[in-house]
Amino acid sequence: MLKEQAKQFTLLSKLIDIILIYIAFAAAYEVRSKIGNIGDFYHYLWVLLVIIPVWHLLLSKYGMYASTRTHSIPKLVSDLVKVHIIGGVITASLIYFIEPGGFRRILFGIFILL
Protein backbone atom coordinates (compact mmCIF):
# COMPACT_ATOMS: atom_id res chain seq x y z
CA MET A 1 0.00 0.00 0.00
CA LEU A 2 2.80 2.42 0.83
CA LYS A 3 4.56 1.70 -2.47
CA GLU A 4 1.34 2.42 -4.36
CA GLN A 5 0.93 5.72 -2.52
CA ALA A 6 4.56 6.59 -3.28
CA LYS A 7 3.93 5.92 -6.98
CA GLN A 8 0.84 8.13 -6.92
CA PHE A 9 2.74 10.89 -5.13
CA THR A 10 5.56 10.68 -7.70
CA LEU A 11 3.05 10.92 -10.54
CA LEU A 12 1.41 13.92 -8.88
CA SER A 13 4.83 15.55 -8.44
CA LYS A 14 5.62 15.08 -12.13
CA LEU A 15 2.26 16.55 -13.14
CA ILE A 16 2.79 19.56 -10.87
CA ASP A 17 6.26 20.05 -12.37
CA ILE A 18 4.80 20.09 -15.89
CA ILE A 19 2.17 22.63 -14.85
CA LEU A 20 4.79 24.82 -13.16
CA ILE A 21 7.03 24.68 -16.25
CA TYR A 22 4.08 25.83 -18.38
CA ILE A 23 3.25 28.64 -15.92
CA ALA A 24 6.89 29.78 -15.84
CA PHE A 25 7.01 29.80 -19.65
CA ALA A 26 3.72 31.73 -19.88
CA ALA A 27 4.96 34.22 -17.27
CA ALA A 28 8.24 34.65 -19.18
CA TYR A 29 6.22 35.33 -22.34
CA GLU A 30 4.13 37.95 -20.53
CA VAL A 31 7.21 39.69 -19.14
CA ARG A 32 8.87 39.63 -22.57
CA SER A 33 5.73 40.97 -24.27
CA LYS A 34 5.80 43.99 -21.93
CA ILE A 35 9.35 44.79 -23.07
CA GLY A 36 8.51 45.00 -26.75
CA ASN A 37 7.13 43.40 -29.86
CA ILE A 38 6.96 39.61 -29.78
CA GLY A 39 5.04 37.09 -31.83
CA ASP A 40 1.89 35.26 -30.84
CA PHE A 41 2.15 32.97 -27.78
CA TYR A 42 1.12 29.95 -29.84
CA HIS A 43 4.15 30.52 -32.06
CA TYR A 44 6.38 29.65 -29.09
CA LEU A 45 4.47 26.68 -27.63
CA TRP A 46 6.60 24.17 -29.54
CA VAL A 47 9.44 25.04 -27.19
CA LEU A 48 7.57 23.30 -24.37
CA LEU A 49 7.94 20.07 -26.36
CA VAL A 50 11.69 20.51 -25.86
CA ILE A 51 11.69 21.93 -22.33
CA ILE A 52 9.37 19.47 -20.59
CA PRO A 53 11.19 16.23 -21.54
CA VAL A 54 14.61 17.75 -20.79
CA TRP A 55 13.54 18.96 -17.35
CA HIS A 56 11.75 15.69 -16.61
CA LEU A 57 14.84 13.63 -17.45
CA LEU A 58 17.14 15.89 -15.44
CA LEU A 59 14.83 16.00 -12.42
CA SER A 60 14.69 12.20 -12.51
CA LYS A 61 18.47 11.89 -12.97
CA TYR A 62 19.15 14.10 -9.96
CA GLY A 63 16.73 12.15 -7.80
CA MET A 64 14.08 14.82 -7.37
CA TYR A 65 11.31 12.22 -7.74
CA ALA A 66 12.90 9.80 -5.28
CA SER A 67 12.47 9.98 -1.53
CA THR A 68 14.21 13.13 -0.33
CA ARG A 69 13.77 12.55 3.40
CA THR A 70 17.47 11.86 3.91
CA HIS A 71 18.71 14.76 1.76
CA SER A 72 19.64 18.07 3.26
CA ILE A 73 18.08 21.32 2.05
CA PRO A 74 21.41 22.59 0.62
CA LYS A 75 21.76 19.32 -1.35
CA LEU A 76 18.25 19.67 -2.78
CA VAL A 77 18.84 23.33 -3.72
CA SER A 78 22.20 22.42 -5.25
CA ASP A 79 20.62 19.68 -7.36
CA LEU A 80 17.83 22.01 -8.50
CA VAL A 81 20.38 24.64 -9.55
CA LYS A 82 22.27 21.96 -11.49
CA VAL A 83 19.03 20.91 -13.21
CA HIS A 84 18.35 24.51 -14.25
CA ILE A 85 21.86 25.17 -15.52
CA ILE A 86 22.23 21.90 -17.41
CA GLY A 87 18.61 22.05 -18.61
CA GLY A 88 19.13 25.61 -19.82
CA VAL A 89 22.21 24.68 -21.83
CA ILE A 90 20.64 21.57 -23.35
CA THR A 91 17.35 23.29 -24.11
CA ALA A 92 19.01 26.37 -25.59
CA SER A 93 21.15 24.18 -27.80
CA LEU A 94 18.16 22.21 -29.04
CA ILE A 95 16.05 25.33 -29.60
CA TYR A 96 18.72 27.09 -31.64
CA PHE A 97 19.44 23.90 -33.58
CA ILE A 98 15.76 23.54 -34.48
CA GLU A 99 15.00 27.21 -35.13
CA PRO A 100 18.23 29.25 -35.13
CA GLY A 101 16.85 32.67 -36.04
CA GLY A 102 13.24 32.64 -34.96
CA PHE A 103 13.38 32.43 -31.19
CA ARG A 104 13.76 35.33 -28.78
CA ARG A 105 16.80 34.81 -26.56
CA ILE A 106 15.47 37.17 -23.92
CA LEU A 107 12.27 35.10 -23.63
CA PHE A 108 14.34 32.00 -22.95
CA GLY A 109 16.52 33.89 -20.46
CA ILE A 110 13.48 35.08 -18.52
CA PHE A 111 12.10 31.54 -18.49
CA ILE A 112 15.36 30.17 -17.03
CA LEU A 113 15.30 32.84 -14.33
CA LEU A 114 11.73 31.94 -13.38
Side-chain angles (χ1 to χ4, degrees):
M1 176 138 165
L2 289 176
K3 287 186 179 188
E4 185 62 35
Q5 287 179 345
K7 286 181 184 180
Q8 290 175 351
F9 183 74
T10 300
L11 183 62
L12 179 64
S13 296
K14 291 176 182 183
L15 180 62
I16 290 171
D17 282 341
I18 291 170
I19 292 168
L20 289 175
I21 288 169
Y22 177 82
I23 290 170
F25 188 77
Y29 177 84
E30 286 299 314
V31 169
R32 174 57 180 93
S33 68
K34 303 287 187 222
I35 294 172
N37 189 20
I38 190 170
D40 190 29
F41 180 70
Y42 297 106
H43 176 71
Y44 295 99
L45 281 178
W46 67 269
V47 175
L48 289 172
L49 295 174
V50 175
I51 292 171
I52 290 172
V54 168
W55 253 256
H56 172 71
L57 289 173
L58 289 173
L59 287 169
S60 294
K61 180 185 183 306
Y62 281 94
M64 293 292 116
Y65 296 127
S67 177
T68 57
R69 290 179 290 176
T70 58
H71 297 175
S72 67
I73 298 295
K75 168 85 169 113
L76 291 173
V77 171
S78 169
D79 287 346
L80 281 174
V81 169
K82 289 176 190 175
V83 166
H84 280 300
I85 291 171
I86 295 168
V89 170
I90 292 171
T91 305
S93 300
L94 290 171
I95 288 171
Y96 295 118
F97 179 74
I98 294 169
E99 193 170 331
F103 193 78
R104 307 282 182 184
R105 290 182 301 268
I106 195 163
L107 172 62
F108 185 71
I110 293 169
F111 168 73
I112 293 297
L113 291 175
L114 292 177

